[in-house]
Amino acid sequence: MLKMSSNSYEVSIPMSKKPNGIPETTSKDLQTLTEGAVLSFHDICYRVKVKTGFLLCRKTIEKEILANIKYVLELLFKLCLFHIKVLLDILAARKDPHGLSGDVLINGAPRPANFKCNSGYVVQDDVVMGTLTVRENLQFSAALRLPTTMTNYEKNERINKVIQELGLDKVADSKVGTQFIRGVSGGERKRTSIAMELITDPSILFLDEPTTGLDSSTANAVLLLLKRMSKQGRTIIFSIHQPRYSIFKLFDSLTLLASGRLMFHGPAQEALGYFEDIGFHCEPYNNPADFFLDIINGDSSAVVLNREDSDDEAKETEEPSKNDTSLIEKLAEFYVNSSFFKETKVELDKFSGEQRRKKLSSYKEITYATSFCHQLKWISKRSFKNLLGNPQASIAQLIVTVFLGLVIGAIFYDLKNDPSGIQNRAGVLFFLTTNQCFSSVSAVELLVVEKKLFIHEYISGYYRVSSYFFGKLLSDLLPMRMLPSIIFTCITYFLLGLKPKVEAFFIMMFTLMMVAYSASSMALAIAAGQSVVSIATLLMTISFVFMMIFSGLLVNLKTIGAWLSWLQYLSIPRYGYAALQHNEFLGQNFCPGLNVTANNTCSYAICTGEEFLTNQGIDISPWGLWKNHVALACMIVIFLTIAYLKLLFLKKFS
C-alpha cells in the first residue's frame, strides 16, 4: 500500500503491477518457497482522547482515527504499503491498546502474546548504534535475539548470510556513522536497519516509511530489495511517502483510506478502471498514486469536473469541507456496494469464527531469548565500544579535566597555613565540589539520546529494562565519573599542598567520586523519559544553583531560619563540601608561632581547623565525616531507583 497524507485525509495505497525485469511468480515457485503468513483484520476501530481548551476549561473529546477497517492480506509474494502509520502500528502490536477494538488474525488465529518480538519492525528513523560497524550491530542483534542454544559459529553464519542477502559485504566492517563520524551511505544505513530485524528470520516484517531521507534512485533500490525478499516467502508490510511510478509498479494490491474509512481495496491494475466507472478519469502521464490522492482530497481536475456535472443545482456558497465530506461518504458507500467489497467479505468470512473469540494479549507479554546476565554483558560491551568510539564525549572530557586541574592548581598553588589559607582552602574545596556537580550534567544525555533506540529494542525483545539500565551504569556512568575524579584529585591535591596524609588523599578522591555519582544519578532521574536534552539540562542547572546556596560557603547554615534550614539536607554540594572541609581542616593550625592552647587573647580569631569547622556547624567527630558519604549513598540509591522506575513505566507504545 502507498501511504499518502494531507491536512484533511490520510490515504493508504497498496499498488501493483509487475515491474520490468521482475518475472511473474508461477505455481512452481510457490511450491518451492516457504508458505507466507496471511494477515487479516476485522472491524478495526481506533479512538484517541484529545484535550482542548486551557487549564480549568479543558475538555476531553474522543476522536475516531479508524472506523470499521476490515480486509485480508495474503501477503506471500506481496509488498503491502500502509499509508496510515496508525494502522501499521496496530497490525504490528505497537500501538497503545487503549481505544482499540477489532481483531487482527495471523492465518486465522489471534496473534501470539509475543508477536511483536517474533515479527520484525523497522522504524522510520534508523535506530542503529552509529559508532559501531555494520557487523557489530548485527552481532548485537544476534547475541540477544537468537536462542542461546545456537553456537557462535551458527550465529556468525546467520549474520554473514544476511549481510550477503542485503548487499552489505563491502561495508560490513565500516562504522554506520554519526553526526561526528563519517559512515555508510543512507541506503546502506537503511539496509543495516532491515538486517537487524532479519537476524531472527521473521515471517512478517513491518517497515515505517523505509524510503525516508533517501533519493529516488536509492529508494527504488531499497524497494526492489524488499520485493526480492517478498518473493522468498517473507511477508512484508510497510508505509511509504510519495512513491515514484517505478516504485508504484512493484505492488500487487491497492487500498485507499480517507478519514479512517475504506475507499477501495482490490487489485491495483483494476483501480483506475474502478474509479473511471464512477466518473474519475486519470489524465495521461499522471502518476496513479498522485491521482488517487487527488480524488480523496478532492483536488484533481477529474473531481472538479465531476462536481460541475453533478452539482449544477447546488448552492455556490456551500463550504468545500462539506463537499469533501460528502465525496468521502459517497466513495465509501459506492465501495461497500461494489464487487470488490463482496469478494473481500468472502475472504474475511474464512477467518471468522471461534478463533476471533480467543483473545490473546499481544501487548503486555514480552519474551526474551537470553538471560539477564547475558543481556547485561552485551549491553555493557556495546556501551563501552560506543564510549570509545565517541571521542567527543569521552576523551574531550578527560582533556578538559586535566586542563581545569592544572588551572586550579596554578591559581591556588601551595596553600599556606595562615588566615589567608583558610579562605583559599574553603574556596577551592567549594569549587571542586560544585565542579563535580556541574560536570555531571552531561549524564542527562545517557538516557535521552538513546531513548528511541531503547524503546525500539525493548519492544522488540532485545533485553529487559533492568539489563539496559544496569548495563549503562556499569559501562558508561561509572567509568566516566570515576576516571575524571581520580585525575582531578591527583593533579590538584599536590599542587594545592593539601594535608600531607595518605588517608586524607584517598578520602578526598572518594568524596569527589561520591559527589559525581550523586549528581549523575540525579541527572538520570530527571532525564529518564525526556525527549529533549535541553529541558533536562535546564532542570539540572536550576537544581544545582539552589543547592549551591545551601552548600555552606555562600551562607552560614546555622544562621538560616528553621522554616528554610531543612533545604540543606537536599543539597548534594552541602554533603560533599562538608566532607572535604572535615578531611582538610581537622588538625590544622593557621596561626604559626602562636600557642593557641596557652594564649587565648582573641576569642574571635580562628587559629585551628577545629574552630573553623565548629563555626561552620560541622561535627568534628569521625561520624561527622562519614555521615556525609552515607547521605550521598542514600541519594544515589533514591535517584537511581527513580530513574529505573521512570524507564520501567515509560510509555513505550505510540
Side-chain angles (χ1 to χ4, degrees):
M1 295 184 203
L2 169 62
K3 175 182 178 181
M4 299 184 175
S5 63
S6 67
N7 294 334
S8 303
Y9 310 111
E10 293 184 336
V11 186
S12 260
I13 308 179
M15 301 155 285
S16 165
K17 266 189 186 178
K18 296 299 176 183
N20 296 332
I22 298 181
E24 295 284 346
T25 304
T26 64
S27 58
K28 183 178 180 180
D29 297 328
L30 293 175
Q31 297 174 359
T32 58
L33 296 175
T34 304
E35 183 179 358
V38 178
L39 185 147
S40 61
F41 38 104
H42 310 250
D43 301 320
I44 294 294
C45 295
Y46 190 70
R47 299 176 177 88
V48 296
K49 293 182 179 180
V50 181
K51 294 183 178 180
T52 60
F54 298 94
L55 299 178
L56 299 178
C57 300
R58 302 191 72 176
K59 297 181 180 179
T60 301
I61 61 175
E62 192 172 64
K63 183 178 180 181
E64 188 174 61
I65 305 299
L66 297 175
N68 297 323
I69 303 300
K70 59 177 78 174
Y71 54 86
V72 60
L73 297 176
E74 298 181 16
L75 294 174
L76 183 59
F77 312 116
K78 289 189 180 180
L79 291 177
C80 293
L81 169 68
F82 287 96
H83 174 62
I84 298 184
K85 187 183 187 312
V86 173
L87 186 55
L88 183 70
D89 289 343
I90 289 174
L91 298 182
R94 291 170 183 261
K95 198 69 180 173
D96 189 350
H98 298 290
L100 175 64
S101 62
D103 301 282
V104 179
L105 307 179
I106 305 294
N107 294 327
R111 290 173 300 181
N114 60 344
F115 173 72
K116 55 181 171 290
C117 300
N118 294 335
S119 60
Y121 190 95
V122 181
V123 296
Q124 180 177 356
D125 300 321
D126 301 320
V127 283
V128 290
M129 193 66 72
T131 54
L132 304 184
T133 65
V134 172
R135 188 181 301 277
E136 288 172 339
N137 275 290
L138 298 184
Q139 287 174 344
F140 179 80
S141 178
L144 296 184
R145 304 179 73 185
L146 295 179
T148 53
T149 54
M150 291 183 63
T151 64
N152 290 332
Y153 176 79
E154 292 173 333
K155 292 179 180 179
N156 288 329
E157 284 295 311
R158 175 75 63 84
I159 292 172
N160 293 331
K161 179 182 177 182
V162 172
I163 288 176
Q164 185 176 7
E165 180 182 357
L166 298 186
L168 294 171
D169 309 70
K170 296 182 179 179
V171 296
D173 297 312
S174 301
K175 290 187 177 181
V176 175
T178 65
Q179 55 182 339
F180 302 109
I181 304 173
R182 184 178 179 85
V184 299
S185 66
E188 292 165 341
R189 186 183 182 94
K190 178 62 66 176
R191 279 182 278 160
T192 302
S193 298
I194 297 174
M196 293 282 286
E197 302 303 316
L198 294 183
I199 285 294
T200 59
D201 194 23
S203 59
I204 300 180
L205 178 64
F206 298 92
L207 302 97
D208 182 15
E209 297 198 17
T211 59
T212 298
L214 305 179
D215 58 77
S216 59
S217 177
T218 306
N220 188 61
V222 171
L223 266 295
L224 286 173
L225 168 66
L226 296 177
K227 180 69 176 181
R228 186 172 68 250
M229 290 166 52
S230 72
K231 286 184 172 293
Q232 296 171 357
R234 185 174 283 113
T235 297
I236 299 176
I237 308 172
F238 63 95
S239 61
I240 198 170
H241 181 67
Q242 289 183 326
R244 69 182 193 180
Y245 184 62
S246 61
I247 294 177
F248 179 91
K249 296 190 300 181
L250 294 175
F251 297 91
D252 304 303
S253 61
L254 169 65
T255 300
L256 296 174
L257 297 177
S259 297
R261 304 187 64 180
L262 190 59
M263 302 289 103
F264 174 80
H265 173 66
Q269 60 269 23
E270 300 181 26
L272 289 175
Y274 169 84
F275 282 99
E276 190 169 352
D277 291 340
I278 57 178
F280 301 102
H281 177 69
C282 182
E283 298 175 348
Y285 307 108
N286 189 9
N287 187 347
D290 296 332
F291 170 71
F292 295 134
L293 179 59
D294 288 341
I295 292 177
I296 298 301
N297 289 335
D299 296 333
S300 70
S301 58
V303 175
V304 174
L305 292 175
N306 182 273
R307 284 182 181 169
E308 291 177 353
D309 294 337
S310 59
D311 299 335
D312 290 337
E313 299 179 358
K315 295 182 179 179
E316 296 180 357
T317 57
E318 186 176 7
E319 297 181 2
S321 60
K322 292 183 179 179
N323 290 333
D324 295 339
T325 303
S326 176
L327 176 62
I328 292 175
E329 292 176 354
K330 290 179 180 178
L331 290 175
E333 183 180 357
F334 192 88
Y335 172 71
V336 171
N337 297 323
S338 68
S339 60
F340 295 107
F341 177 79
K342 296 176 182 178
E343 293 174 0
T344 302
K345 191 174 185 304
V346 171
E347 293 185 61
L348 286 172
D349 291 340
K350 298 178 183 178
F351 299 99
S352 61
E354 293 297 326
Q355 292 291 350
R356 292 179 57 182
R357 299 188 183 96
K358 298 178 181 179
K359 296 285 187 178
L360 292 178
S361 175
S362 55
Y363 290 90
K364 294 183 179 180
E365 183 177 343
I366 296 181
T367 57
Y368 303 99
T370 56
S371 64
F372 169 83
C373 294
H374 184 83
Q375 295 171 4
L376 181 66
K377 168 190 171 183
W378 276 91
I379 293 172
S380 302
K381 182 179 179 180
R382 184 180 70 168
S383 299
F384 190 70
K385 285 183 177 180
N386 180 53
L387 189 64
L388 296 180
N390 192 11
Q392 289 77 9
S394 53
I395 299 178
Q397 183 176 352
L398 298 180
I399 294 176
V400 170
T401 300
V402 173
F403 176 76
L404 191 58
L406 294 175
V407 171
I408 296 302
I411 296 175
F412 295 92
Y413 181 73
D414 194 17
L415 295 173
K416 306 298 182 183
N417 280 16
D418 55 20
S420 65
I422 297 178
Q423 179 184 359
N424 292 340
R425 280 179 171 81
V428 72
L429 295 179
F430 173 78
F431 177 82
L432 294 178
T433 305
T434 55
N435 176 69
Q436 290 296 98
C437 290
F438 283 100
S439 63
S440 299
V441 172
S442 60
V444 300
E445 298 183 3
L446 194 62
L447 299 180
V448 176
V449 174
E450 295 185 9
K451 180 182 177 181
K452 290 183 179 180
L453 179 66
F454 161 70
I455 291 177
H456 170 68
E457 292 181 341
Y458 169 75
I459 295 179
S460 299
Y462 279 73
Y463 43 68
R464 301 167 177 83
V465 175
S466 56
S467 303
Y468 176 79
F469 184 72
F470 289 110
K472 299 298 289 186
L473 293 184
L474 291 176
S475 61
D476 201 321
L477 185 64
L478 292 182
M480 287 309 298
R481 307 306 154 194
M482 179 188 299
L483 196 56
S485 299
I486 295 175
I487 295 175
F488 210 50
T489 303
C490 293
I491 294 176
T492 58
Y493 198 89
F494 301 104
L495 289 177
L496 298 178
L498 299 178
K499 185 186 293 185
K501 292 185 178 180
V502 176
E503 61 271 20
F505 171 80
F506 286 105
I507 289 176
M508 176 178 171
M509 181 184 296
F510 177 68
T511 302
L512 293 180
M513 289 171 54
M514 290 296 290
V515 172
Y517 288 144
S518 301
S520 300
S521 301
M522 178 180 172
L524 294 181
I526 292 177
Q530 293 284 347
S531 300
V532 183
V533 175
S534 57
I535 296 178
T537 303
L538 178 62
L539 294 175
M540 283 292 299
T541 304
I542 294 175
S543 301
F544 284 143
V545 168
F546 279 99
M547 287 182 177
M548 285 172 53
I549 299 176
F550 295 93
S551 62
L553 178 72
L554 303 178
V555 61
N556 193 301
L557 299 179
K558 295 190 300 182
T559 64
I560 301 178
W563 65 285
L564 281 177
S565 62
W566 61 273
L567 291 173
Q568 64 180 295
Y569 300 109
L570 304 178
S571 174
I572 294 176
R574 181 247 182 187
Y575 294 110
Y577 186 46
L580 291 178
Q581 288 182 103
H582 190 288
N583 180 58
E584 175 61 24
F585 282 94
L586 194 65
Q588 295 273 32
N589 180 14
F590 299 102
C591 296
L594 179 65
N595 188 348
V596 294
T597 58
N599 191 343
N600 193 19
T601 57
C602 183
S603 59
Y604 293 100
I606 297 178
C607 291
T608 65
E610 288 77 1
E611 292 176 349
F612 175 78
L613 295 175
T614 303
N615 183 61
Q616 295 294 315
I618 299 176
D619 183 6
I620 61 175
S621 67
W623 173 243
L625 170 66
W626 297 110
K627 70 178 182 181
N628 297 294
H629 299 94
V630 172
L632 291 174
C634 292
M635 296 181 79
I636 292 174
V637 173
I638 292 173
F639 285 134
L640 290 182
T641 301
I642 293 174
Y644 174 74
L645 292 177
K646 289 180 68 176
L647 275 184
L648 186 63
F649 296 105
L650 177 66
K651 185 178 179 181
K652 302 177 181 67
F653 296 102
S654 59

